[in-house]
Amino acid sequence: MAEGVLSAGINLEAFAQAIAAIQALRSSVTRVFDCLKDGKRNKETLEGREKGFVSSFQESLHSVSRDLGELERLSNLVGKPSENHPLHNSGLLSLDPVQDKTPLYSQLLQAYKWSNKLQYHAGLASGLLNQQSLKRSANQMGMSAKRRPKAQPTTLVLPPQYVDDVISRIDRMFPEMSIHLSRPNGTSAMLMVTLGKVLKVIVVMRSLFIDRTIVKGYHENVYTEEGKLDIWSKSNYQVFQKVTDHATTALLHYQLPQMPDVVVRSFMTWLRSYIKLFQAPCQRCGKFLQDGLPPTWRDFRTLEAFHDTCRQ
Amino acid sequence: MGVTCVSQMPVTEGKSVQQTVEILTRKLELLGAEKQGTFGVDCETYHTAPSTMGNQGQAAKLMYVMHNSEYPLSCFALFENGPCLIADANFDVLMVKLKGFFQNAKGNKIESRGTRYQYCDFLVKIGTVTMGPSARGISVEVEYCPCVIASDCWNLLMEFMQSFMGSHTPGIPSVFSNKHDSIYSPADTMVQYMELFNKIRKQQQVPVAGIR
Protein backbone atom coordinates (compact mmCIF):
# COMPACT_ATOMS: atom_id res chain seq x y z
CA MET A 1 0.00 0.00 0.00
CA ALA A 2 2.80 2.46 0.97
CA GLU A 3 4.61 1.54 -2.19
CA GLY A 4 1.57 2.48 -4.23
CA VAL A 5 1.35 5.89 -2.61
CA LEU A 6 5.01 6.49 -3.19
CA SER A 7 4.91 5.59 -6.86
CA ALA A 8 1.86 7.77 -7.26
CA GLY A 9 3.87 10.71 -5.83
CA ILE A 10 6.63 10.19 -8.36
CA ASN A 11 4.07 9.91 -11.06
CA LEU A 12 2.47 13.19 -10.07
CA GLU A 13 5.76 15.03 -10.48
CA ALA A 14 6.41 13.39 -13.83
CA PHE A 15 2.87 14.21 -14.84
CA ALA A 16 3.38 17.90 -14.08
CA GLN A 17 6.57 17.94 -16.13
CA ALA A 18 4.88 16.04 -18.95
CA ILE A 19 2.00 18.50 -19.02
CA ALA A 20 4.49 21.40 -19.17
CA ALA A 21 6.27 19.61 -21.99
CA ILE A 22 3.01 19.20 -23.88
CA GLN A 23 2.29 22.89 -23.45
CA ALA A 24 5.78 23.73 -24.75
CA LEU A 25 5.30 21.43 -27.72
CA ARG A 26 1.98 22.98 -28.56
CA SER A 27 3.37 26.49 -28.37
CA SER A 28 6.34 25.60 -30.59
CA VAL A 29 4.02 23.95 -33.11
CA THR A 30 1.89 27.09 -33.05
CA ARG A 31 5.00 29.11 -33.73
CA VAL A 32 5.78 26.96 -36.79
CA PHE A 33 2.37 27.64 -38.25
CA ASP A 34 2.55 31.34 -37.31
CA CYS A 35 5.83 31.53 -39.11
CA LEU A 36 4.35 29.84 -42.19
CA LYS A 37 1.31 32.07 -42.07
CA ASP A 38 3.35 35.26 -41.81
CA GLY A 39 5.48 34.25 -44.75
CA LYS A 40 8.26 36.52 -46.03
CA ARG A 41 6.99 39.91 -45.00
CA ASN A 42 8.55 42.41 -42.64
CA LYS A 43 11.89 42.27 -44.46
CA GLU A 44 13.21 44.88 -46.88
CA THR A 45 15.28 42.88 -49.35
CA LEU A 46 14.06 39.76 -51.09
CA GLU A 47 17.18 37.84 -50.12
CA GLY A 48 17.03 39.07 -46.55
CA ARG A 49 13.40 38.07 -46.40
CA GLU A 50 14.05 34.62 -47.79
CA LYS A 51 17.00 34.02 -45.53
CA GLY A 52 15.19 35.26 -42.43
CA PHE A 53 12.15 33.12 -43.20
CA VAL A 54 14.15 29.91 -43.72
CA SER A 55 16.20 30.42 -40.58
CA SER A 56 13.17 31.20 -38.38
CA PHE A 57 11.31 28.24 -39.86
CA GLN A 58 14.28 25.99 -39.21
CA GLU A 59 14.58 27.27 -35.68
CA SER A 60 10.94 26.68 -34.87
CA LEU A 61 11.08 23.19 -36.37
CA HIS A 62 14.09 22.44 -34.21
CA SER A 63 12.28 23.58 -31.12
CA VAL A 64 9.32 21.34 -32.08
CA SER A 65 11.55 18.28 -32.39
CA ARG A 66 13.32 19.20 -29.14
CA ASP A 67 10.04 19.56 -27.27
CA LEU A 68 8.79 16.29 -28.76
CA GLY A 69 11.96 14.51 -27.63
CA GLU A 70 11.49 15.91 -24.13
CA LEU A 71 7.85 14.79 -24.03
CA GLU A 72 8.79 11.29 -25.13
CA ARG A 73 11.40 11.08 -22.41
CA LEU A 74 8.89 12.20 -19.81
CA SER A 75 6.20 9.85 -21.03
CA ASN A 76 8.55 6.94 -20.33
CA LEU A 77 8.89 8.19 -16.78
CA VAL A 78 5.16 8.42 -16.29
CA GLY A 79 4.56 4.88 -17.52
CA LYS A 80 1.10 3.41 -17.99
CA PRO A 81 -1.08 4.53 -15.06
CA SER A 82 -3.50 1.63 -15.38
CA GLU A 83 -0.83 -0.98 -14.71
CA ASN A 84 0.00 0.45 -11.33
CA HIS A 85 -3.54 0.07 -9.99
CA PRO A 86 -4.42 -3.27 -8.29
CA LEU A 87 -7.80 -3.40 -10.02
CA HIS A 88 -6.37 -2.41 -13.42
CA ASN A 89 -8.67 -0.36 -15.57
CA SER A 90 -11.62 -0.77 -13.22
CA GLY A 91 -9.60 1.20 -10.66
CA LEU A 92 -10.19 4.25 -12.82
CA LEU A 93 -13.80 4.13 -11.67
CA SER A 94 -12.60 5.46 -8.33
CA LEU A 95 -11.66 8.68 -10.10
CA ASP A 96 -15.30 9.32 -10.91
CA PRO A 97 -16.17 12.47 -8.99
CA VAL A 98 -19.95 11.85 -8.83
CA GLN A 99 -19.89 9.07 -6.21
CA ASP A 100 -23.45 9.58 -5.06
CA LYS A 101 -25.03 9.07 -8.44
CA THR A 102 -22.94 6.14 -9.58
CA PRO A 103 -21.46 4.26 -6.63
CA LEU A 104 -19.97 1.71 -9.02
CA TYR A 105 -16.56 1.62 -7.47
CA SER A 106 -17.70 0.83 -3.91
CA GLN A 107 -20.09 -1.80 -5.24
CA LEU A 108 -17.30 -3.31 -7.26
CA LEU A 109 -15.04 -3.53 -4.25
CA GLN A 110 -17.80 -5.15 -2.23
CA ALA A 111 -18.50 -7.71 -4.92
CA TYR A 112 -14.83 -8.48 -5.12
CA LYS A 113 -14.58 -9.02 -1.37
CA TRP A 114 -17.72 -11.14 -1.41
CA SER A 115 -16.50 -13.40 -4.17
CA ASN A 116 -13.17 -13.81 -2.38
CA LYS A 117 -15.00 -14.84 0.77
CA LEU A 118 -17.27 -17.20 -1.15
CA GLN A 119 -14.31 -18.92 -2.67
CA TYR A 120 -12.73 -19.31 0.74
CA HIS A 121 -15.87 -20.76 2.33
CA ALA A 122 -16.51 -23.06 -0.59
CA GLY A 123 -13.00 -24.39 -0.16
CA LEU A 124 -13.61 -25.07 3.52
CA ALA A 125 -16.99 -26.70 2.83
CA SER A 126 -15.65 -29.00 0.17
CA GLY A 127 -12.90 -30.08 2.55
CA LEU A 128 -15.41 -30.93 5.24
CA LEU A 129 -17.86 -32.64 2.89
CA ASN A 130 -15.14 -34.85 1.52
CA GLN A 131 -14.57 -36.18 5.01
CA GLN A 132 -18.26 -37.01 5.54
CA SER A 133 -19.13 -38.65 2.29
CA LEU A 134 -22.76 -39.61 1.84
CA LYS A 135 -22.40 -40.89 -1.67
CA ARG A 136 -24.43 -43.93 -2.45
CA SER A 137 -22.29 -45.03 -5.34
CA ALA A 138 -19.76 -47.86 -5.29
CA ASN A 139 -16.86 -45.48 -4.87
CA GLN A 140 -16.49 -44.11 -1.41
CA MET A 141 -14.08 -41.40 -0.43
CA GLY A 142 -10.46 -41.60 -1.36
CA MET A 143 -11.31 -42.51 -4.92
CA SER A 144 -9.95 -40.23 -7.56
CA ALA A 145 -12.33 -38.25 -9.74
CA LYS A 146 -10.95 -39.98 -12.78
CA ARG A 147 -11.94 -43.44 -11.63
CA ARG A 148 -15.46 -42.60 -10.53
CA PRO A 149 -17.22 -42.31 -13.89
CA LYS A 150 -16.09 -45.83 -14.77
CA ALA A 151 -17.97 -47.54 -11.97
CA GLN A 152 -21.19 -45.54 -12.17
CA PRO A 153 -22.67 -46.79 -15.43
CA THR A 154 -22.88 -50.38 -14.19
CA THR A 155 -25.57 -49.64 -11.62
CA LEU A 156 -27.05 -46.46 -13.04
CA VAL A 157 -27.79 -47.61 -16.53
CA LEU A 158 -30.29 -50.41 -16.23
CA PRO A 159 -32.91 -51.16 -18.85
CA PRO A 160 -36.34 -49.73 -17.88
CA GLN A 161 -37.78 -53.22 -18.35
CA TYR A 162 -35.60 -54.53 -15.53
CA VAL A 163 -36.71 -51.70 -13.24
CA ASP A 164 -40.36 -52.47 -14.07
CA ASP A 165 -39.82 -56.14 -13.20
CA VAL A 166 -38.20 -55.39 -9.86
CA ILE A 167 -40.97 -52.96 -8.90
CA SER A 168 -43.82 -55.26 -9.93
CA ARG A 169 -42.23 -58.13 -7.96
CA ILE A 170 -42.16 -55.91 -4.86
CA ASP A 171 -45.74 -54.85 -5.55
CA ARG A 172 -46.85 -58.49 -5.50
CA MET A 173 -44.83 -59.18 -2.35
CA PHE A 174 -46.88 -56.83 -0.15
CA PRO A 175 -50.65 -57.10 -0.56
CA GLU A 176 -51.44 -54.06 1.60
CA MET A 177 -49.15 -51.90 -0.48
CA SER A 178 -49.97 -50.79 -4.00
CA ILE A 179 -47.25 -49.38 -6.21
CA HIS A 180 -48.03 -47.41 -9.33
CA LEU A 181 -45.06 -46.78 -11.62
CA SER A 182 -44.94 -43.93 -14.12
CA ARG A 183 -42.29 -42.26 -16.21
CA PRO A 184 -43.41 -38.68 -16.77
CA ASN A 185 -39.93 -37.34 -17.47
CA GLY A 186 -37.91 -39.68 -19.66
CA THR A 187 -36.48 -42.93 -18.32
CA SER A 188 -36.51 -42.08 -14.61
CA ALA A 189 -39.35 -43.84 -12.87
CA MET A 190 -41.65 -42.30 -10.28
CA LEU A 191 -43.55 -44.51 -7.88
CA MET A 192 -46.81 -43.72 -6.15
CA VAL A 193 -46.95 -46.06 -3.19
CA THR A 194 -50.23 -46.30 -1.29
CA LEU A 195 -49.90 -48.03 2.05
CA GLY A 196 -53.26 -49.31 3.28
CA LYS A 197 -55.41 -46.34 4.18
CA VAL A 198 -52.63 -44.73 6.15
CA LEU A 199 -50.32 -42.87 3.85
CA LYS A 200 -49.08 -42.26 0.33
CA VAL A 201 -45.46 -42.07 -0.66
CA ILE A 202 -44.00 -40.50 -3.79
CA VAL A 203 -40.69 -42.11 -4.68
CA VAL A 204 -38.46 -40.56 -7.32
CA MET A 205 -36.07 -43.10 -8.80
CA ARG A 206 -32.95 -42.78 -10.87
CA SER A 207 -32.57 -46.18 -12.46
CA LEU A 208 -32.93 -48.39 -9.35
CA PHE A 209 -31.59 -45.80 -6.94
CA ILE A 210 -34.14 -43.95 -4.87
CA ASP A 211 -33.44 -40.26 -5.15
CA ARG A 212 -36.21 -38.70 -3.13
CA THR A 213 -39.28 -39.67 -1.15
CA ILE A 214 -42.18 -37.63 0.11
CA VAL A 215 -44.74 -39.05 2.51
CA LYS A 216 -48.24 -37.61 2.59
CA GLY A 217 -51.54 -38.43 4.19
CA TYR A 218 -53.92 -40.93 2.58
CA HIS A 219 -56.45 -38.17 1.84
CA GLU A 220 -53.94 -35.54 0.81
CA ASN A 221 -53.60 -34.47 -2.79
CA VAL A 222 -50.46 -35.81 -4.45
CA TYR A 223 -51.04 -34.28 -7.86
CA THR A 224 -50.35 -30.78 -9.13
CA GLU A 225 -53.00 -28.73 -10.91
CA GLU A 226 -51.74 -30.07 -14.23
CA GLY A 227 -52.35 -33.61 -13.05
CA LYS A 228 -48.70 -34.53 -12.60
CA LEU A 229 -47.25 -36.11 -9.48
CA ASP A 230 -46.31 -33.31 -7.12
CA ILE A 231 -42.77 -34.22 -6.05
CA TRP A 232 -41.93 -30.93 -4.37
CA SER A 233 -44.56 -29.85 -1.85
CA LYS A 234 -44.51 -31.40 1.59
CA SER A 235 -47.39 -32.79 3.63
CA ASN A 236 -49.66 -30.44 5.60
CA TYR A 237 -49.42 -32.68 8.65
CA GLN A 238 -46.51 -32.70 11.05
CA VAL A 239 -46.62 -36.45 11.47
CA PHE A 240 -46.05 -37.07 7.76
CA GLN A 241 -43.36 -34.41 7.57
CA LYS A 242 -41.57 -36.33 10.29
CA VAL A 243 -42.04 -39.63 8.49
CA THR A 244 -40.66 -38.01 5.32
CA ASP A 245 -37.52 -37.08 7.25
CA HIS A 246 -37.16 -40.62 8.55
CA ALA A 247 -37.73 -42.09 5.08
CA THR A 248 -34.92 -39.90 3.75
CA THR A 249 -32.70 -41.22 6.53
CA ALA A 250 -33.65 -44.75 5.52
CA LEU A 251 -32.56 -44.06 1.94
CA LEU A 252 -29.09 -43.28 3.19
CA HIS A 253 -29.09 -46.23 5.55
CA TYR A 254 -30.05 -48.93 3.06
CA GLN A 255 -27.22 -48.93 0.58
CA LEU A 256 -25.75 -51.83 -1.30
CA PRO A 257 -24.52 -50.42 -4.59
CA GLN A 258 -23.87 -53.80 -6.19
CA MET A 259 -27.46 -54.99 -5.64
CA PRO A 260 -29.79 -51.99 -6.05
CA ASP A 261 -32.90 -54.22 -6.21
CA VAL A 262 -32.22 -55.47 -2.68
CA VAL A 263 -32.00 -51.87 -1.52
CA VAL A 264 -35.40 -51.02 -2.97
CA ARG A 265 -36.91 -54.16 -1.44
CA SER A 266 -35.46 -53.42 2.01
CA PHE A 267 -36.69 -49.85 1.83
CA MET A 268 -40.21 -50.97 0.91
CA THR A 269 -40.20 -53.57 3.69
CA TRP A 270 -39.22 -50.86 6.13
CA LEU A 271 -41.84 -48.50 4.71
CA ARG A 272 -44.54 -51.16 5.09
CA SER A 273 -44.10 -51.09 8.87
CA TYR A 274 -45.86 -47.71 8.81
CA ILE A 275 -49.16 -49.51 8.22
CA LYS A 276 -49.51 -49.35 12.02
CA LEU A 277 -48.38 -45.70 12.23
CA PHE A 278 -51.38 -44.68 14.34
CA GLN A 279 -51.90 -48.02 16.07
CA ALA A 280 -48.52 -48.96 17.47
CA PRO A 281 -47.42 -47.50 20.82
CA CYS A 282 -43.77 -46.62 21.40
CA GLN A 283 -41.71 -49.69 22.33
CA ARG A 284 -39.73 -47.71 24.87
CA CYS A 285 -42.14 -45.42 26.71
CA GLY A 286 -45.31 -47.38 25.91
CA LYS A 287 -47.28 -44.29 25.01
CA PHE A 288 -48.90 -43.24 21.78
CA LEU A 289 -48.17 -39.55 21.83
CA GLN A 290 -45.14 -37.47 22.55
CA ASP A 291 -45.34 -33.75 21.81
CA GLY A 292 -48.50 -34.47 19.85
CA LEU A 293 -46.86 -36.96 17.50
CA PRO A 294 -47.27 -40.76 17.38
CA PRO A 295 -44.16 -42.99 17.22
CA THR A 296 -42.83 -41.97 13.81
CA TRP A 297 -39.53 -43.83 13.89
CA ARG A 298 -39.20 -47.44 12.77
CA ASP A 299 -36.05 -49.34 13.65
CA PHE A 300 -34.11 -50.33 10.53
CA ARG A 301 -33.59 -53.91 11.65
CA THR A 302 -36.44 -54.83 13.98
CA LEU A 303 -39.04 -52.43 12.43
CA GLU A 304 -40.25 -51.62 15.97
CA ALA A 305 -42.01 -48.31 16.55
CA PHE A 306 -40.36 -45.57 18.58
CA HIS A 307 -40.85 -41.90 19.16
CA ASP A 308 -38.17 -39.79 17.54
CA THR A 309 -36.72 -38.97 20.96
CA CYS A 310 -37.15 -42.49 22.39
CA ARG A 311 -34.96 -44.24 19.84
CA GLN A 312 -31.36 -44.87 20.75
CA MET B 1 -60.77 -33.98 7.38
CA GLY B 2 -59.73 -36.54 9.94
CA VAL B 3 -61.19 -38.77 12.61
CA THR B 4 -63.27 -36.80 15.09
CA CYS B 5 -64.68 -37.53 18.52
CA VAL B 6 -67.44 -35.34 19.92
CA SER B 7 -68.21 -35.58 23.60
CA GLN B 8 -69.78 -33.72 26.48
CA MET B 9 -67.83 -32.26 29.34
CA PRO B 10 -69.87 -32.10 32.54
CA VAL B 11 -69.97 -28.75 34.28
CA THR B 12 -67.73 -28.79 37.36
CA GLU B 13 -69.70 -28.65 40.58
CA GLY B 14 -69.89 -25.17 42.01
CA LYS B 15 -68.73 -23.62 38.77
CA SER B 16 -70.64 -22.03 35.92
CA VAL B 17 -70.49 -23.24 32.31
CA GLN B 18 -68.29 -20.28 31.44
CA GLN B 19 -65.83 -21.05 34.26
CA THR B 20 -65.60 -24.71 33.30
CA VAL B 21 -64.87 -23.75 29.70
CA GLU B 22 -62.15 -21.40 30.92
CA ILE B 23 -60.50 -24.12 33.02
CA LEU B 24 -60.55 -26.44 30.02
CA THR B 25 -59.09 -23.89 27.60
CA ARG B 26 -56.37 -22.95 30.07
CA LYS B 27 -55.37 -26.62 30.28
CA LEU B 28 -55.19 -26.76 26.49
CA GLU B 29 -53.10 -23.62 26.27
CA LEU B 30 -50.71 -24.98 28.88
CA LEU B 31 -50.36 -28.09 26.73
CA GLY B 32 -49.19 -25.88 23.88
CA ALA B 33 -52.34 -25.60 21.81
CA GLU B 34 -52.78 -22.46 19.73
CA LYS B 35 -56.01 -20.50 19.41
CA GLN B 36 -57.30 -20.42 15.85
CA GLY B 37 -60.48 -18.39 15.74
CA THR B 38 -63.95 -19.63 16.49
CA PHE B 39 -66.35 -22.33 15.32
CA GLY B 40 -70.05 -23.02 15.38
CA VAL B 41 -72.40 -25.98 14.87
CA ASP B 42 -76.16 -25.49 14.85
CA CYS B 43 -79.10 -27.83 14.57
CA GLU B 44 -82.77 -27.24 13.76
CA THR B 45 -85.45 -29.86 14.28
CA TYR B 46 -88.23 -30.65 11.78
CA HIS B 47 -91.29 -32.87 12.31
CA THR B 48 -92.88 -34.76 9.51
CA ALA B 49 -96.23 -33.01 9.01
CA PRO B 50 -99.31 -34.98 10.19
CA SER B 51 -100.98 -34.65 6.77
CA THR B 52 -98.28 -36.79 5.15
CA MET B 53 -98.29 -39.51 7.78
CA GLY B 54 -100.97 -41.58 6.17
CA ASN B 55 -102.80 -44.23 8.16
CA GLN B 56 -100.06 -46.83 8.51
CA GLY B 57 -99.61 -45.80 12.12
CA GLN B 58 -96.10 -44.56 11.62
CA ALA B 59 -94.45 -42.77 14.47
CA ALA B 60 -93.57 -39.16 13.70
CA LYS B 61 -90.02 -39.03 12.49
CA LEU B 62 -87.69 -36.21 13.43
CA MET B 63 -85.33 -34.68 10.93
CA TYR B 64 -82.41 -32.51 11.90
CA VAL B 65 -80.90 -29.85 9.63
CA MET B 66 -77.41 -28.90 10.75
CA HIS B 67 -74.59 -26.54 9.78
CA ASN B 68 -70.92 -26.72 10.69
CA SER B 69 -68.56 -23.77 10.30
CA GLU B 70 -65.81 -26.21 9.33
CA TYR B 71 -67.81 -26.93 6.15
CA PRO B 72 -69.29 -23.51 5.42
CA LEU B 73 -70.68 -24.40 1.99
CA SER B 74 -72.60 -27.47 3.14
CA CYS B 75 -75.77 -28.26 4.96
CA PHE B 76 -76.39 -31.60 6.65
CA ALA B 77 -79.82 -33.21 6.92
CA LEU B 78 -80.09 -36.24 9.20
CA PHE B 79 -82.74 -38.64 10.44
CA GLU B 80 -82.19 -40.32 13.76
CA ASN B 81 -80.58 -43.71 12.99
CA GLY B 82 -81.19 -42.88 9.36
CA PRO B 83 -79.31 -41.63 6.39
CA CYS B 84 -77.37 -38.40 6.36
CA LEU B 85 -77.71 -36.09 3.41
CA ILE B 86 -74.99 -33.59 2.60
CA ALA B 87 -76.30 -30.73 0.47
CA ASP B 88 -75.34 -27.21 -0.57
CA ALA B 89 -75.95 -24.47 1.95
CA ASN B 90 -79.11 -23.24 0.22
CA PHE B 91 -80.85 -26.46 1.25
CA ASP B 92 -82.43 -24.29 3.97
CA VAL B 93 -84.44 -22.45 1.32
CA LEU B 94 -85.69 -25.76 0.03
CA MET B 95 -86.86 -26.70 3.52
CA VAL B 96 -89.06 -23.58 3.59
CA LYS B 97 -90.71 -24.78 0.40
CA LEU B 98 -91.27 -28.23 1.89
CA LYS B 99 -93.30 -26.73 4.73
CA GLY B 100 -96.17 -29.03 3.86
CA PHE B 101 -94.07 -32.11 4.64
CA PHE B 102 -91.61 -30.95 7.26
CA GLN B 103 -92.50 -28.44 9.95
CA ASN B 104 -89.88 -26.54 11.83
CA ALA B 105 -90.11 -27.11 15.55
CA LYS B 106 -89.71 -23.50 16.62
CA GLY B 107 -87.66 -22.88 19.73
CA ASN B 108 -85.95 -26.22 19.36
CA LYS B 109 -82.87 -24.77 17.76
CA ILE B 110 -79.73 -25.83 19.57
CA GLU B 111 -76.20 -24.77 18.82
CA SER B 112 -72.64 -24.98 20.05
CA ARG B 113 -70.23 -22.07 19.67
CA GLY B 114 -66.74 -21.61 20.94
CA THR B 115 -63.04 -21.49 20.24
CA ARG B 116 -60.99 -23.61 17.88
CA TYR B 117 -57.55 -24.75 18.98
CA GLN B 118 -54.75 -26.46 17.11
CA TYR B 119 -52.13 -28.65 18.71
CA CYS B 120 -49.76 -30.40 16.29
CA ASP B 121 -52.08 -32.37 14.02
CA PHE B 122 -55.01 -32.19 16.44
CA LEU B 123 -57.92 -29.77 16.21
CA VAL B 124 -59.82 -29.14 19.42
CA LYS B 125 -63.09 -27.23 19.56
CA ILE B 126 -64.55 -26.35 22.90
CA GLY B 127 -68.05 -25.01 22.61
CA THR B 128 -70.86 -23.84 24.83
CA VAL B 129 -74.13 -25.56 23.92
CA THR B 130 -77.01 -23.13 24.00
CA MET B 131 -80.71 -23.60 23.44
CA GLY B 132 -82.44 -20.28 23.17
CA PRO B 133 -80.85 -17.85 25.61
CA SER B 134 -79.54 -20.34 28.17
CA ALA B 135 -76.28 -22.29 28.24
CA ARG B 136 -76.99 -25.99 28.59
CA GLY B 137 -73.59 -27.69 28.52
CA ILE B 138 -70.13 -27.97 27.08
CA SER B 139 -69.15 -29.82 23.92
CA VAL B 140 -65.62 -30.99 23.24
CA GLU B 141 -64.67 -31.99 19.70
CA VAL B 142 -61.26 -33.51 19.08
CA GLU B 143 -60.10 -34.21 15.56
CA TYR B 144 -56.94 -36.03 14.52
CA CYS B 145 -56.43 -34.72 11.01
CA PRO B 146 -53.81 -37.05 9.44
CA CYS B 147 -55.82 -40.25 9.95
CA VAL B 148 -58.97 -41.35 8.10
CA ILE B 149 -59.72 -44.71 9.73
CA ALA B 150 -61.51 -44.29 13.05
CA SER B 151 -60.45 -47.60 14.61
CA ASP B 152 -56.77 -47.00 13.72
CA CYS B 153 -56.32 -43.93 15.82
CA TRP B 154 -58.88 -44.32 18.60
CA ASN B 155 -56.25 -45.24 21.23
CA LEU B 156 -54.12 -42.32 20.20
CA LEU B 157 -57.10 -39.98 20.28
CA MET B 158 -58.09 -41.23 23.72
CA GLU B 159 -54.59 -40.68 25.09
CA PHE B 160 -54.70 -37.12 23.83
CA MET B 161 -58.13 -36.46 25.34
CA GLN B 162 -56.98 -37.86 28.67
CA SER B 163 -54.22 -35.27 28.74
CA PHE B 164 -56.70 -32.42 29.16
CA MET B 165 -60.07 -34.00 30.01
CA GLY B 166 -58.77 -36.33 32.68
CA SER B 167 -61.46 -38.62 34.07
CA HIS B 168 -64.13 -37.17 31.75
CA THR B 169 -62.58 -38.78 28.67
CA PRO B 170 -65.44 -40.35 26.72
CA GLY B 171 -65.73 -43.95 25.58
CA ILE B 172 -65.58 -44.95 21.95
CA PRO B 173 -68.37 -43.20 19.98
CA SER B 174 -71.01 -45.50 18.51
CA VAL B 175 -70.37 -44.25 14.96
CA PHE B 176 -66.81 -45.58 15.20
CA SER B 177 -67.93 -49.15 15.77
CA ASN B 178 -70.16 -49.10 12.68
CA LYS B 179 -67.37 -47.85 10.45
CA HIS B 180 -65.02 -50.87 10.48
CA ASP B 181 -62.32 -50.03 7.97
CA SER B 182 -64.15 -47.48 5.90
CA ILE B 183 -63.08 -43.88 5.66
CA TYR B 184 -64.34 -41.42 8.23
CA SER B 185 -66.48 -38.65 6.77
CA PRO B 186 -67.75 -35.26 7.96
CA ALA B 187 -71.26 -36.77 8.17
CA ASP B 188 -70.03 -39.00 11.00
CA THR B 189 -69.07 -35.91 12.95
CA MET B 190 -72.53 -34.44 12.41
CA VAL B 191 -74.17 -37.65 13.65
CA GLN B 192 -72.11 -37.36 16.83
CA TYR B 193 -73.19 -33.73 17.30
CA MET B 194 -76.82 -34.74 16.73
CA GLU B 195 -76.54 -37.45 19.39
CA LEU B 196 -74.88 -35.01 21.78
CA PHE B 197 -77.58 -32.38 21.23
CA ASN B 198 -80.33 -34.94 21.80
CA LYS B 199 -78.67 -36.05 25.02
CA ILE B 200 -78.41 -32.48 26.25
CA ARG B 201 -82.05 -31.77 25.33
CA LYS B 202 -83.22 -34.77 27.35
CA GLN B 203 -81.09 -33.77 30.33
CA GLN B 204 -82.79 -30.41 30.42
CA GLN B 205 -86.34 -31.64 29.87
CA VAL B 206 -87.09 -32.33 33.49
CA PRO B 207 -86.23 -28.93 34.98
CA VAL B 208 -87.84 -27.15 32.03
CA ALA B 209 -91.06 -29.04 32.68
CA GLY B 210 -90.79 -28.17 36.33
CA ILE B 211 -90.70 -24.45 35.58
CA ARG B 212 -93.81 -24.65 33.49
Side-chain angles (χ1 to χ4, degrees), chain B residues 81-108:
Chain B
N81 313 319
C84 173
L85 173 83
I86 304 176
D88 280 356
N90 51 9
F91 181 76
D92 297 306
V93 185
L94 188 71
M95 284 309 287
V96 176
K97 301 236 172 190
L98 290 177
K99 233 187 262 174
F101 302 93
F102 295 100
Q103 283 171 349
N104 192 345
K106 292 260 159 57
N108 229 345

Side-chain angles (χ1 to χ4, degrees), chain B residues 24-96:
Chain B
L24 209 56
T25 53
R26 208 171 308 136
K27 266 189 198 166
L28 268 177
E29 277 163 16
L30 277 177
L31 205 68
E34 278 174 30
K35 212 181 232 185
Q36 276 202 335
T38 56
F39 84 99
V41 177
D42 62 62
C43 171
E44 291 205 57
T45 313
Y46 288 86
H47 306 281
T48 42
S51 57
T52 60
M53 294 273 285
N55 44 15
Q56 290 102 331
Q58 281 177 311
K61 258 189 165 180
L62 292 178
M63 189 175 86
Y64 302 97
V65 176
M66 305 178 74
H67 303 92
N68 187 342
S69 59
E70 199 75 14
Y71 310 99
L73 297 183
S74 302
C75 179
F76 301 82
L78 307 87
F79 282 109
E80 236 169 327
N81 313 319
C84 173
L85 173 83
I86 304 176
D88 280 356
N90 51 9
F91 181 76
D92 297 306
V93 185
L94 188 71
M95 284 309 287
V96 176

Side-chain angles (χ1 to χ4, degrees), chain A residues 1-10:
Chain A
M1 208 53 200
E3 210 177 77
V5 172
L6 203 68
S7 68
I10 289 167

Side-chain angles (χ1 to χ4, degrees), chain A residues 17 21 33 39 53 66 69 76 99 107 130 136 163 172 181 246 266 268-269 276 279 285:
Chain A
Q17 282 175 1
F33 286 109
F53 172 73
R66 193 185 60 232
N76 279 336
Q99 267 287 322
Q107 285 174 354
N130 274 334
R136 283 178 289 147
V163 178
R172 265 175 277 143
L181 186 144
H246 293 328
S266 328
M268 292 298 180
T269 313
K276 297 238 181 261
Q279 296 175 56
C285 67

Side-chain angles (χ1 to χ4, degrees), chain A residues 134-140 151-158 162-163 166-167 183 187-191 202-213 250-252 254-265 267-268:
Chain A
L134 284 176
K135 283 202 176 65
R136 283 178 289 147
S137 51
N139 300 302
Q140 284 298 318
Q152 270 184 348
T154 53
T155 43
L156 276 183
V157 181
L158 290 168
Y162 178 70
V163 178
V166 172
I167 298 299
R183 288 198 168 81
T187 50
S188 289
M190 281 204 226
L191 310 182
I202 299 168
V203 180
V204 182
M205 315 265 298
R206 192 177 45 143
S207 175
L208 260 182
F209 278 109
I210 302 177
D211 252 8
R212 180 183 168 85
T213 58
L251 290 188
L252 295 171
Y254 294 115
Q255 42 177 301
L256 200 61
Q258 271 66 42
M259 289 183 272
D261 53 331
V262 176
V263 173
V264 179
R265 203 161 60 225
F267 175 74
M268 292 298 180

Side-chain angles (χ1 to χ4, degrees), chain A residues 26-76:
Chain A
R26 289 179 78 167
S27 68
S28 54
V29 169
T30 316
R31 236 176 298 135
V32 170
F33 286 109
D34 274 347
C35 167
L36 284 175
K37 182 184 73 187
D38 290 348
K40 291 185 248 178
R41 63 184 176 181
N42 302 332
K43 293 285 179 327
E44 288 89 39
T45 62
L46 187 74
E47 275 169 41
R49 268 191 271 174
E50 220 162 69
K51 214 176 184 178
F53 172 73
V54 168
S55 68
S56 73
F57 184 59
Q58 217 163 25
E59 199 186 310
S60 46
L61 273 185
H62 271 304
S63 70
V64 165
S65 81
R66 193 185 60 232
D67 288 344
L68 193 64
E70 175 72 8
L71 182 63
E72 262 171 2
R73 190 183 63 80
L74 284 170
S75 72
N76 279 336

